[in-house]
Amino acid sequence: MSQPVPPPGNPYAQGAPDQGAGQNPYAQGVPGQQPAGQNPFGAYPPAPAPAPAPRRSNVGLGILAAVVAALVTAGIYGAIMGGVEAEIGWAAVGVGFAVGFAAGKVGGGNPVLPIVSALLSLGAVYLGQLVGIAVFLTKDYGVSFTDVFFKDFGALMDLWSEAKEPLTFLFLALGPIAAFSGAKKAAA
């Protein structure tokens, strides 16, 4: 019996005339098996990464956002406090964080914004406590909220002074602390 002869042009036959030993026959004569700059799967090249968004540093808009957030969250805090007839610590933290986050997100990383948002948060927690007392009086005594809050504001502040306790000052401190950290986190 004789050995079979390989067919002509067999790429796997030893000593093929058109390629060197150890090369891929499908590489079309280019070293490294793939033509340079082409995707082996025939797809389009990946899109370039988008440019990062420019850092905003608009102090005026940051302060305006903090003022709006302070007024809105003070009203919400007061409504919650008047509805449950108790002070809630996590709500004071939420007021502070919302004020600081709004200032930092809109105003950017300016170092003035955490301080301003802490001060605005202190005012927002205090205003929220006054709103809470006014809501409480509205529910219990049947008087109008606008009469209590706008016409008898001095009496409302006197009532807050009489009703304050050490926990009240803790809540007044938690708001600015949360506002300072919220502004730093939002600007990062």
mmCIF file of all heavy atoms in Angstrom, residues 42-80:
data_model
loop_
_atom_site.group_PDB
_atom_site.id
_atom_site.type_symbol
_atom_site.label_atom_id
_atom_site.label_comp_id
_atom_site.label_asym_id
_atom_site.label_seq_id
_atom_site.Cartn_x
_atom_site.Cartn_y
_atom_site.Cartn_z
ATOM 1 N N GLY A 42 -16.119 42.872 12.361
ATOM 2 C CA GLY A 42 -16.765 43.611 11.286
ATOM 3 C C GLY A 42 -17.677 44.723 11.766
ATOM 4 O O GLY A 42 -18.406 45.302 10.976
ATOM 5 N N ALA A 43 -17.670 45.048 13.050
ATOM 6 C CA ALA A 43 -18.548 46.095 13.570
ATOM 7 C C ALA A 43 -17.841 47.448 13.463
ATOM 8 O O ALA A 43 -16.660 47.533 13.173
ATOM 9 C CB ALA A 43 -18.894 45.816 15.027
ATOM 10 N N TYR A 44 -18.613 48.482 13.729
ATOM 11 C CA TYR A 44 -18.041 49.822 13.728
ATOM 12 C C TYR A 44 -17.149 49.980 14.955
ATOM 13 O O TYR A 44 -17.373 49.352 15.983
ATOM 14 C CB TYR A 44 -19.146 50.876 13.754
ATOM 15 C CG TYR A 44 -19.958 50.902 12.486
ATOM 16 C CD1 TYR A 44 -21.250 50.415 12.462
ATOM 17 C CD2 TYR A 44 -19.424 51.415 11.320
ATOM 18 C CE1 TYR A 44 -21.990 50.431 11.303
ATOM 19 C CE2 TYR A 44 -20.160 51.435 10.160
ATOM 20 C CZ TYR A 44 -21.442 50.946 10.151
ATOM 21 O OH TYR A 44 -22.162 50.965 9.008
ATOM 22 N N PRO A 45 -16.182 50.843 14.891
ATOM 23 C CA PRO A 45 -15.341 51.068 16.074
ATOM 24 C C PRO A 45 -16.168 51.722 17.172
ATOM 25 O O PRO A 45 -17.165 52.395 16.901
ATOM 26 C CB PRO A 45 -14.242 52.004 15.564
ATOM 27 C CG PRO A 45 -14.784 52.630 14.338
ATOM 28 C CD PRO A 45 -15.750 51.640 13.749
ATOM 29 N N PRO A 46 -15.790 51.539 18.448
ATOM 30 C CA PRO A 46 -16.573 52.122 19.535
ATOM 31 C C PRO A 46 -16.532 53.649 19.479
ATOM 32 O O PRO A 46 -15.552 54.244 19.052
ATOM 33 C CB PRO A 46 -15.886 51.598 20.802
ATOM 34 C CG PRO A 46 -14.528 51.187 20.369
ATOM 35 C CD PRO A 46 -14.637 50.796 18.921
ATOM 36 N N ALA A 47 -17.629 54.242 19.918
ATOM 37 C CA ALA A 47 -17.732 55.704 19.922
ATOM 38 C C ALA A 47 -16.804 56.276 20.989
ATOM 39 O O ALA A 47 -16.602 55.664 22.036
ATOM 40 C CB ALA A 47 -19.162 56.124 20.208
ATOM 41 N N PRO A 48 -16.262 57.441 20.761
ATOM 42 C CA PRO A 48 -15.402 58.045 21.786
ATOM 43 C C PRO A 48 -16.230 58.448 23.001
ATOM 44 O O PRO A 48 -17.427 58.726 22.896
ATOM 45 C CB PRO A 48 -14.800 59.267 21.092
ATOM 46 C CG PRO A 48 -15.729 59.562 19.966
ATOM 47 C CD PRO A 48 -16.343 58.246 19.566
ATOM 48 N N ALA A 49 -15.612 58.472 24.157
ATOM 49 C CA ALA A 49 -16.299 58.845 25.392
ATOM 50 C C ALA A 49 -16.703 60.316 25.321
ATOM 51 O O ALA A 49 -15.953 61.146 24.792
ATOM 52 C CB ALA A 49 -15.385 58.613 26.585
ATOM 53 N N PRO A 50 -17.890 60.651 25.828
ATOM 54 C CA PRO A 50 -18.303 62.058 25.796
ATOM 55 C C PRO A 50 -17.439 62.892 26.732
ATOM 56 O O PRO A 50 -16.900 62.401 27.721
ATOM 57 C CB PRO A 50 -19.749 62.013 26.283
ATOM 58 C CG PRO A 50 -19.850 60.759 27.075
ATOM 59 C CD PRO A 50 -18.887 59.796 26.453
ATOM 60 N N ALA A 51 -17.327 64.132 26.410
ATOM 61 C CA ALA A 51 -16.548 65.051 27.234
ATOM 62 C C ALA A 51 -17.257 65.239 28.567
ATOM 63 O O ALA A 51 -18.489 65.255 28.627
ATOM 64 C CB ALA A 51 -16.398 66.394 26.531
ATOM 65 N N PRO A 52 -16.522 65.362 29.671
ATOM 66 C CA PRO A 52 -17.187 65.561 30.960
ATOM 67 C C PRO A 52 -17.912 66.897 30.984
ATOM 68 O O PRO A 52 -17.514 67.855 30.329
ATOM 69 C CB PRO A 52 -16.034 65.531 31.966
ATOM 70 C CG PRO A 52 -14.820 65.846 31.177
ATOM 71 C CD PRO A 52 -15.084 65.355 29.777
ATOM 72 N N ALA A 53 -18.997 66.913 31.741
ATOM 73 C CA ALA A 53 -19.782 68.136 31.857
ATOM 74 C C ALA A 53 -18.941 69.207 32.543
ATOM 75 O O ALA A 53 -18.188 68.914 33.464
ATOM 76 C CB ALA A 53 -21.045 67.876 32.664
ATOM 77 N N PRO A 54 -19.069 70.440 32.114
ATOM 78 C CA PRO A 54 -18.276 71.494 32.751
ATOM 79 C C PRO A 54 -18.727 71.702 34.194
ATOM 80 O O PRO A 54 -19.905 71.611 34.505
ATOM 81 C CB PRO A 54 -18.560 72.726 31.894
ATOM 82 C CG PRO A 54 -19.842 72.433 31.210
ATOM 83 C CD PRO A 54 -19.913 70.941 31.053
ATOM 84 N N ARG A 55 -17.778 71.950 35.063
ATOM 85 C CA ARG A 55 -18.093 72.186 36.469
ATOM 86 C C ARG A 55 -18.733 73.558 36.611
ATOM 87 O O ARG A 55 -18.220 74.555 36.126
ATOM 88 C CB ARG A 55 -16.824 72.125 37.322
ATOM 89 C CG ARG A 55 -16.162 70.791 37.356
ATOM 90 C CD ARG A 55 -16.967 69.730 38.006
ATOM 91 N NE ARG A 55 -17.218 70.062 39.396
ATOM 92 C CZ ARG A 55 -18.046 69.403 40.155
ATOM 93 N NH1 ARG A 55 -18.713 68.390 39.682
ATOM 94 N NH2 ARG A 55 -18.229 69.745 41.395
ATOM 95 N N ARG A 56 -19.860 73.563 37.274
ATOM 96 C CA ARG A 56 -20.541 74.831 37.500
ATOM 97 C C ARG A 56 -20.035 75.445 38.796
ATOM 98 O O ARG A 56 -19.802 74.753 39.769
ATOM 99 C CB ARG A 56 -22.038 74.614 37.588
ATOM 100 C CG ARG A 56 -22.649 74.258 36.253
ATOM 101 C CD ARG A 56 -24.112 74.117 36.394
ATOM 102 N NE ARG A 56 -24.363 72.692 36.579
ATOM 103 C CZ ARG A 56 -25.533 72.162 36.814
ATOM 104 N NH1 ARG A 56 -26.562 72.928 36.933
ATOM 105 N NH2 ARG A 56 -25.682 70.888 36.950
ATOM 106 N N SER A 57 -19.893 76.707 38.799
ATOM 107 C CA SER A 57 -19.503 77.421 40.007
ATOM 108 C C SER A 57 -20.245 78.744 40.046
ATOM 109 O O SER A 57 -19.653 79.802 40.040
ATOM 110 C CB SER A 57 -17.992 77.633 40.040
ATOM 111 O OG SER A 57 -17.630 78.206 41.275
ATOM 112 N N ASN A 58 -21.546 78.653 40.068
ATOM 113 C CA ASN A 58 -22.381 79.837 40.083
ATOM 114 C C ASN A 58 -22.934 80.014 41.497
ATOM 115 O O ASN A 58 -23.903 79.364 41.878
ATOM 116 C CB ASN A 58 -23.510 79.693 39.060
ATOM 117 C CG ASN A 58 -24.206 81.004 38.810
ATOM 118 O OD1 ASN A 58 -24.164 81.913 39.633
ATOM 119 N ND2 ASN A 58 -24.858 81.097 37.678
ATOM 120 N N VAL A 59 -22.313 80.879 42.254
ATOM 121 C CA VAL A 59 -22.674 81.060 43.655
ATOM 122 C C VAL A 59 -24.081 81.631 43.789
ATOM 123 O O VAL A 59 -24.853 81.211 44.654
ATOM 124 C CB VAL A 59 -21.649 81.969 44.360
ATOM 125 C CG1 VAL A 59 -22.015 82.191 45.799
ATOM 126 C CG2 VAL A 59 -20.267 81.370 44.257
ATOM 127 N N GLY A 60 -24.436 82.569 42.929
ATOM 128 C CA GLY A 60 -25.758 83.192 43.013
ATOM 129 C C GLY A 60 -26.887 82.191 42.820
ATOM 130 O O GLY A 60 -27.859 82.182 43.580
ATOM 131 N N LEU A 61 -26.754 81.339 41.809
ATOM 132 C CA LEU A 61 -27.792 80.317 41.597
ATOM 133 C C LEU A 61 -27.804 79.299 42.729
ATOM 134 O O LEU A 61 -28.861 78.791 43.103
ATOM 135 C CB LEU A 61 -27.569 79.610 40.263
ATOM 136 C CG LEU A 61 -28.038 80.358 39.026
ATOM 137 C CD1 LEU A 61 -27.725 79.559 37.763
ATOM 138 C CD2 LEU A 61 -29.517 80.641 39.101
ATOM 139 N N GLY A 62 -26.631 78.991 43.271
ATOM 140 C CA GLY A 62 -26.566 78.057 44.392
ATOM 141 C C GLY A 62 -27.284 78.593 45.617
ATOM 142 O O GLY A 62 -28.014 77.864 46.296
ATOM 143 N N ILE A 63 -27.081 79.874 45.896
ATOM 144 C CA ILE A 63 -27.755 80.484 47.043
ATOM 145 C C ILE A 63 -29.256 80.577 46.796
ATOM 146 O O ILE A 63 -30.066 80.312 47.697
ATOM 147 C CB ILE A 63 -27.138 81.863 47.358
ATOM 148 C CG1 ILE A 63 -25.710 81.680 47.872
ATOM 149 C CG2 ILE A 63 -27.983 82.642 48.356
ATOM 150 C CD1 ILE A 63 -24.946 82.965 48.063
ATOM 151 N N LEU A 64 -29.647 80.909 45.571
ATOM 152 C CA LEU A 64 -31.075 80.969 45.248
ATOM 153 C C LEU A 64 -31.723 79.589 45.395
ATOM 154 O O LEU A 64 -32.818 79.473 45.964
ATOM 155 C CB LEU A 64 -31.271 81.491 43.821
ATOM 156 C CG LEU A 64 -32.721 81.577 43.346
ATOM 157 C CD1 LEU A 64 -33.489 82.618 44.159
ATOM 158 C CD2 LEU A 64 -32.780 81.909 41.868
ATOM 159 N N ALA A 65 -31.055 78.551 44.930
ATOM 160 C CA ALA A 65 -31.587 77.185 45.076
ATOM 161 C C ALA A 65 -31.685 76.806 46.547
ATOM 162 O O ALA A 65 -32.641 76.143 46.966
ATOM 163 C CB ALA A 65 -30.707 76.198 44.328
ATOM 164 N N ALA A 66 -30.712 77.231 47.356
ATOM 165 C CA ALA A 66 -30.747 76.933 48.785
ATOM 166 C C ALA A 66 -31.898 77.661 49.482
ATOM 167 O O ALA A 66 -32.553 77.095 50.357
ATOM 168 C CB ALA A 66 -29.408 77.299 49.424
ATOM 169 N N VAL A 67 -32.159 78.895 49.083
ATOM 170 C CA VAL A 67 -33.270 79.657 49.688
ATOM 171 C C VAL A 67 -34.603 79.001 49.349
ATOM 172 O O VAL A 67 -35.473 78.823 50.215
ATOM 173 C CB VAL A 67 -33.236 81.133 49.228
ATOM 174 C CG1 VAL A 67 -34.522 81.854 49.577
ATOM 175 C CG2 VAL A 67 -32.045 81.852 49.828
ATOM 176 N N VAL A 68 -34.774 78.619 48.088
ATOM 177 C CA VAL A 68 -36.020 77.958 47.686
ATOM 178 C C VAL A 68 -36.182 76.634 48.425
ATOM 179 O O VAL A 68 -37.266 76.311 48.944
ATOM 180 C CB VAL A 68 -36.053 77.761 46.154
ATOM 181 C CG1 VAL A 68 -37.201 76.867 45.734
ATOM 182 C CG2 VAL A 68 -36.149 79.102 45.451
ATOM 183 N N ALA A 69 -35.108 75.861 48.491
ATOM 184 C CA ALA A 69 -35.170 74.578 49.198
ATOM 185 C C ALA A 69 -35.456 74.782 50.681
ATOM 186 O O ALA A 69 -36.196 74.004 51.297
ATOM 187 C CB ALA A 69 -33.871 73.804 49.007
ATOM 188 N N ALA A 70 -34.898 75.838 51.271
ATOM 189 C CA ALA A 70 -35.133 76.120 52.690
ATOM 190 C C ALA A 70 -36.597 76.447 52.943
ATOM 191 O O ALA A 70 -37.193 75.958 53.915
ATOM 192 C CB ALA A 70 -34.236 77.266 53.158
ATOM 193 N N LEU A 71 -37.196 77.256 52.092
ATOM 194 C CA LEU A 71 -38.603 77.620 52.291
ATOM 195 C C LEU A 71 -39.531 76.422 52.097
ATOM 196 O O LEU A 71 -40.466 76.212 52.878
ATOM 197 C CB LEU A 71 -38.982 78.761 51.346
ATOM 198 C CG LEU A 71 -38.328 80.114 51.643
ATOM 199 C CD1 LEU A 71 -38.665 81.124 50.556
ATOM 200 C CD2 LEU A 71 -38.755 80.622 53.013
ATOM 201 N N VAL A 72 -39.249 75.634 51.062
ATOM 202 C CA VAL A 72 -40.107 74.472 50.792
ATOM 203 C C VAL A 72 -39.990 73.442 51.916
ATOM 204 O O VAL A 72 -40.994 72.929 52.428
ATOM 205 C CB VAL A 72 -39.751 73.848 49.415
ATOM 206 C CG1 VAL A 72 -40.418 72.513 49.232
ATOM 207 C CG2 VAL A 72 -40.146 74.803 48.300
ATOM 208 N N THR A 73 -38.749 73.129 52.308
ATOM 209 C CA THR A 73 -38.578 72.113 53.344
ATOM 210 C C THR A 73 -39.024 72.604 54.713
ATOM 211 O O THR A 73 -39.458 71.790 55.539
ATOM 212 C CB THR A 73 -37.116 71.643 53.407
ATOM 213 O OG1 THR A 73 -36.262 72.767 53.607
ATOM 214 C CG2 THR A 73 -36.729 70.899 52.157
ATOM 215 N N ALA A 74 -38.952 73.900 54.971
ATOM 216 C CA ALA A 74 -39.479 74.423 56.233
ATOM 217 C C ALA A 74 -40.982 74.201 56.313
ATOM 218 O O ALA A 74 -41.508 73.811 57.364
ATOM 219 C CB ALA A 74 -39.150 75.903 56.380
ATOM 220 N N GLY A 75 -41.677 74.445 55.210
ATOM 221 C CA GLY A 75 -43.121 74.195 55.192
ATOM 222 C C GLY A 75 -43.456 72.728 55.378
ATOM 223 O O GLY A 75 -44.383 72.372 56.117
ATOM 224 N N ILE A 76 -42.687 71.859 54.719
ATOM 225 C CA ILE A 76 -42.936 70.418 54.859
ATOM 226 C C ILE A 76 -42.635 69.963 56.282
ATOM 227 O O ILE A 76 -43.396 69.192 56.885
ATOM 228 C CB ILE A 76 -42.097 69.634 53.829
ATOM 229 C CG1 ILE A 76 -42.588 69.939 52.420
ATOM 230 C CG2 ILE A 76 -42.143 68.145 54.097
ATOM 231 C CD1 ILE A 76 -41.680 69.397 51.328
ATOM 232 N N TYR A 77 -41.516 70.431 56.833
ATOM 233 C CA TYR A 77 -41.144 70.072 58.206
ATOM 234 C C TYR A 77 -42.201 70.547 59.193
ATOM 235 O O TYR A 77 -42.582 69.816 60.116
ATOM 236 C CB TYR A 77 -39.775 70.662 58.535
ATOM 237 C CG TYR A 77 -39.288 70.411 59.939
ATOM 238 C CD1 TYR A 77 -39.215 69.119 60.458
ATOM 239 C CD2 TYR A 77 -38.879 71.459 60.755
ATOM 240 C CE1 TYR A 77 -38.756 68.891 61.737
ATOM 241 C CE2 TYR A 77 -38.409 71.240 62.036
ATOM 242 C CZ TYR A 77 -38.354 69.956 62.526
ATOM 243 O OH TYR A 77 -37.896 69.738 63.795
ATOM 244 N N GLY A 78 -42.692 71.769 59.005
ATOM 245 C CA GLY A 78 -43.727 72.281 59.892
ATOM 246 C C GLY A 78 -45.028 71.502 59.781
ATOM 247 O O GLY A 78 -45.695 71.248 60.779
ATOM 248 N N ALA A 79 -45.381 71.105 58.556
ATOM 249 C CA ALA A 79 -46.613 70.318 58.381
ATOM 250 C C ALA A 79 -46.488 68.955 59.050
ATOM 251 O O ALA A 79 -47.435 68.478 59.691
ATOM 252 C CB ALA A 79 -46.912 70.160 56.894
ATOM 253 N N ILE A 80 -45.317 68.335 58.919
ATOM 254 C CA ILE A 80 -45.107 67.032 59.576
ATOM 255 C C ILE A 80 -45.135 67.201 61.088
ATOM 256 O O ILE A 80 -45.778 66.423 61.805
ATOM 257 C CB ILE A 80 -43.772 66.408 59.116
ATOM 258 C CG1 ILE A 80 -43.866 65.974 57.656
ATOM 259 C CG2 ILE A 80 -43.394 65.220 59.993
ATOM 260 C CD1 ILE A 80 -42.540 65.539 57.056
#
